[in-house]
Amino acid sequence: MFMKAIYPKSSVFLLASAIIQNLPSKLALLMMGAAALSACQPADSVSNKTSDNEGSASTSETTQPLTFERAENIEALAGVPMQQLISFDPQEIKQGGDTGISITSAESYSKPSSNLTASRKGSFFIGNAFFKQPWVVAPASTDSRDGLGALFNVAACQSCHIKDGRGHAPMTADDDADSLLLRLSMPATTDEQRQQLQDSLIEKVVHPMYGGQLQDRGIQGVPAEARIAVQWTDKPVTFADGHIETLRAPTFNLTNPGYGAFDEAMMVSPRVALPMIGLGLLEQIPEDDIKKQANDNSNSDISGKFNWVMDPQTGKRALGRFGWKAGQTKLITQNQSAFNEDMGLTSNIRPHESCMPTQTACFNATTGADEQGNGKPPVEVNDDVAKFVEFYTRNLAVPHRRNADDALVLAGKKRFYDMGCQSCHTPRYQLPKTDDDHLEQHGQVIYPYTDLLLHDMGDALADRTIAGKLPPKDAQVEFLANSYEWRTPALWGVGLAQTVDPQATFLHDGRARTLMEAVLWHGGEAEKQQQQVLKLDKQGRAELNAFLKSL
């Protein structure tokens, strides 16, 4: 059911209403349509090129409107009226604020914040070196980069985040899964485990032999845990005008188990690497700005929730905002968890080898850990290296938008808002100035298009057990997140993903080869939006795609 046609407190509606009475009738109708759109009402047409596109959806069918609370919150976070967000806004060209860059090449994701001073660039490039260069097996002459493994997925951060961009799923059963990994979990079987999960005291119930992440490589003498293989099944989807888009659905298989048979109840979660741009800006979004968005859609089909996680650095519960299920609190913990689980490297935040008790060869392997002093345990990634990598990951710049004022792009942007996509993809935030060293991010106005919340995306995108079964929705797999829930990814820079790496894919498991495929996989809370997309004709599809490609 649609909300009432007028929201009395909508700033845009009041502005439009005040002048409509003095306008010619045709123009007055157009203004009223704009005001209704700003108040999240359905619009008659989402194309600014033609009013009679074949297959255009009707007013009553096109839009799942926002609740009044959600519309008001989006405006409050943005600091501008909804209509300014929907229209061409020159400020939005700089999606990353003053940190952004205008490069549109394969290096678009790999440049430092443009407001980074010369005196701070050294830290960026040192962090870049540790991010790009492979770590080696200990002992080695390269003492600052030894200690790889004993079990691991890749030898360098850049191997997953190709050119600092997103990863991709294996194309065939013979391909290596270099930029994709599998997270593992088991269902809780005791009251104690269930309570620990509810209280976010543990991330998950890990598998007793394989842990919480499958590591498909091992150093010499240490068996890899398994090999990841994928099979693809075509899934044609037909639009209202007869156009067919062929999606592909993955089936992930594990072969050559190194430590015993897999339990059929083991849940498997494929994850491609996320792009590295703008992470420092996302880290600066105030916690309250994220939390309050979890409550402003309570009267609609969309109801995001925040993940409450255990911060491994402080030992206290905190808001999760990084990773596909928002399971990490901040960049320093995200980085050191990746060092540990992806590369088998220890640090002061993650000081223990990524080995399960039954994996004796892993435990007995030589490490590259060096003494830290001050009562700290020996580790392979010392605090200095960790800080350089954190600085680097915090300052990878977001590329500016392209063609933001193009008529086709603006028509697609209007469709995006008309369909209520901003319900999850919150467009704009104003960052505060805080008492930390994050100078480049302070006070920026950014356009990431994410609420950083978890949303149920439906059965098709849900993780399954190794036997291929859907788990119950009350089964937590990453702190408070279940198998059906995914954090809304930021959309900035998405139009350059395949410029950075032609093999880049979309969605958590890399199943989508194009942005349109990614949209069509939306289900669960976003199913109504997906159904509206399927009503788009050729022109409508071109408009929506142009907008997404401009980001």
Side-chain angles (χ1 to χ4, degrees):
M1 179 180 296
F2 290 118
M3 296 291 289
K4 57 185 179 181
I6 298 175
Y7 295 125
K9 289 192 282 186
S10 169
S11 56
V12 180
F13 190 87
L14 289 173
L15 176 63
S17 298
I19 61 175
I20 280 173
Q21 59 183 342
N22 296 318
L23 296 176
S25 60
K26 184 175 181 180
L27 184 55
L29 288 173
L30 290 174
M31 287 294 296
M32 184 62 74
L37 178 60
S38 72
C40 309
Q41 296 303 296
D44 289 338
S45 171
V46 286
S47 172
N48 65 355
K49 292 195 170 187
T50 176
S51 61
D52 57 354
N53 284 340
E54 181 182 356
S56 292
S58 68
T59 298
S60 63
E61 297 174 333
T62 52
T63 306
Q64 172 65 24
L66 309 181
T67 63
F68 168 70
E69 291 79 11
R70 182 62 177 141
E72 188 177 51
N73 205 358
I74 288 175
E75 288 189 336
L77 292 170
V80 298
M82 188 76 71
Q83 185 59 33
Q84 182 172 331
L85 296 173
I86 298 169
S87 307
F88 169 62
D89 180 2
Q91 189 171 15
E92 189 179 350
I93 293 174
K94 292 185 175 182
Q95 299 179 100
D98 292 335
T99 70
I101 57 171
S102 57
I103 296 173
T104 56
S105 69
E107 300 300 315
S108 293
Y109 287 3
S110 298
K111 299 299 181 181
S113 301
S114 61
N115 60 351
L116 192 66
T117 62
S119 62
R120 289 164 69 88
K121 283 186 177 178
S123 295
F124 179 89
F125 291 114
I126 294 172
N128 182 26
F130 280 106
F131 193 87
K132 291 175 65 175
Q133 294 173 8
W135 290 68
V136 296
V137 178
S141 58
T142 53
D143 186 59
S144 63
R145 289 187 293 106
D146 70 343
L148 178 69
L151 288 166
F152 63 102
N153 296 108
V154 291
C157 307
Q158 193 86 33
S159 298
C160 286
H161 304 278
I162 302 166
K163 296 182 180 177
D164 301 293
R166 65 188 63 236
H168 59 268
M171 293 298 294
T172 69
D174 296 326
D175 284 350
D176 288 327
D178 281 351
S179 56
L180 174 142
L181 55 82
L182 297 183
R183 303 300 300 274
L184 310 175
S185 62
M186 295 295 293
T189 56
T190 68
D191 290 340
E192 180 183 12
Q193 289 175 341
R194 283 185 280 270
Q195 191 63 51
Q196 287 176 321
L197 286 168
Q198 290 175 17
D199 295 339
S200 297
L201 297 177
I202 58 173
E203 176 186 346
K204 63 179 72 175
V205 179
V206 301
H207 190 278
M209 291 183 291
Y210 291 97
Q213 178 171 311
L214 189 89
Q215 288 143 333
D216 58 349
R217 290 185 171 96
I219 65 173
Q220 186 174 1
V222 180
E225 291 184 328
R227 177 175 172 78
I228 302 170
V230 62
Q231 294 176 315
W232 298 101
T233 303
D234 286 346
K235 182 182 177 182
V237 175
T238 305
F239 284 78
D241 66 354
H243 172 73
I244 297 175
E245 194 87 21
T246 302
L247 310 183
R248 58 173 192 169
T251 301
F252 288 89
N253 300 304
L254 299 179
T255 61
N256 305 326
Y259 299 89
F262 298 109
D263 297 82
E264 287 195 355
M266 183 178 74
M267 289 174 277
V268 178
S269 182
R271 313 272 180 94
V272 297
L274 283 157
M276 301 299 298
I277 56 173
L279 298 182
L281 296 167
L282 296 180
E283 190 173 37
Q284 287 293 100
I285 296 175
E287 183 174 302
D288 286 344
D289 286 357
I290 300 171
K291 284 183 175 180
K292 65 186 177 184
Q293 294 185 79
N295 301 316
D296 60 15
N297 270 319
S298 57
N299 294 321
S300 75
D301 296 319
I302 294 172
S303 56
K305 76 179 189 185
F306 57 86
N307 205 355
W308 202 237
V309 311
M310 181 59 64
D311 185 328
Q313 185 177 33
T314 65
K316 298 179 180 179
R317 289 183 297 174
L319 182 81
R321 67 178 75 204
F322 292 115
W324 279 109
K325 291 189 183 288
Q328 293 291 338
T329 59
K330 47 189 181 286
L331 283 176
I332 190 71
T333 59
Q334 167 71 32
N335 294 343
Q336 295 192 35
S337 294
F339 272 130
N340 189 254
E341 295 179 321
D342 301 354
M343 301 163 69
L345 299 169
T346 56
S347 64
N348 282 325
I349 292 178
R350 298 292 298 268
H352 304 296
E353 295 289 341
S354 185
C355 309
M356 293 303 292
T358 57
Q359 297 170 335
T360 54
C362 181
F363 268 113
N364 294 331
T366 302
T367 76
D370 298 316
E371 294 292 337
Q372 303 299 298
N374 297 321
K376 295 180 179 179
V379 295
E380 291 151 332
V381 180
N382 63 43
D383 284 348
D384 289 337
V385 171
K387 289 177 182 177
F388 283 128
V389 174
E390 180 196 12
F391 190 85
Y392 174 73
T393 57
R394 195 170 78 220
N395 278 294
L396 282 163
V398 177
H400 294 337
R401 286 188 61 190
R402 289 83 46 217
N403 307 314
D405 59 347
D406 180 81
L408 193 69
V409 170
L410 288 172
K413 186 179 186 182
K414 191 166 181 285
R415 288 190 182 273
F416 183 90
Y417 278 82
D418 254 0
M419 293 185 291
C421 300
Q422 74 276 29
S423 296
C424 303
H425 293 281
T426 306
R428 170 173 155 149
Y429 295 87
Q430 302 176 94
L431 302 184
K433 292 185 177 180
T434 51
D435 297 329
D436 56 30
D437 187 44
H438 299 198
L439 305 181
E440 293 74 25
Q441 293 75 35
H442 284 175
Q444 298 300 322
V445 175
I446 61 171
Y447 294 78
Y449 285 91
T450 175
D451 59 8
L452 295 178
L453 296 176
L454 298 168
H455 293 275
D456 185 334
M457 297 301 293
D459 291 0
L461 291 181
D463 292 329
R464 284 167 163 75
T465 68
I466 191 66
K469 295 182 179 179
L470 283 169
K473 288 198 173 183
D474 62 355
Q476 295 170 226
V477 297
E478 192 164 335
F479 293 108
L480 301 184
N482 67 31
S483 294
Y484 302 77
E485 293 171 326
W486 302 99
R487 188 206 63 164
T488 306
L491 296 182
W492 52 15
V494 71
L496 290 171
Q498 292 175 337
T499 299
V500 171
D501 177 19
Q503 290 187 297
T505 50
F506 307 99
L507 297 180
H508 66 279
D509 55 10
R511 68 177 66 194
R513 295 158 293 189
T514 66
L515 294 174
M516 182 57 75
E517 286 186 25
V519 170
L520 293 176
W521 275 110
H522 281 50
E525 295 176 30
E527 186 170 356
K528 289 187 177 180
Q529 282 72 26
Q530 183 243 38
Q531 290 300 310
Q532 292 161 26
V533 171
L534 287 172
K535 293 184 175 73
L536 296 179
D537 60 7
K538 182 177 180 180
Q539 176 70 16
R541 294 191 294 270
E543 291 168 356
L544 181 60
N545 192 60
F547 168 64
L548 295 175
K549 293 286 285 184
S550 78
L551 295 175

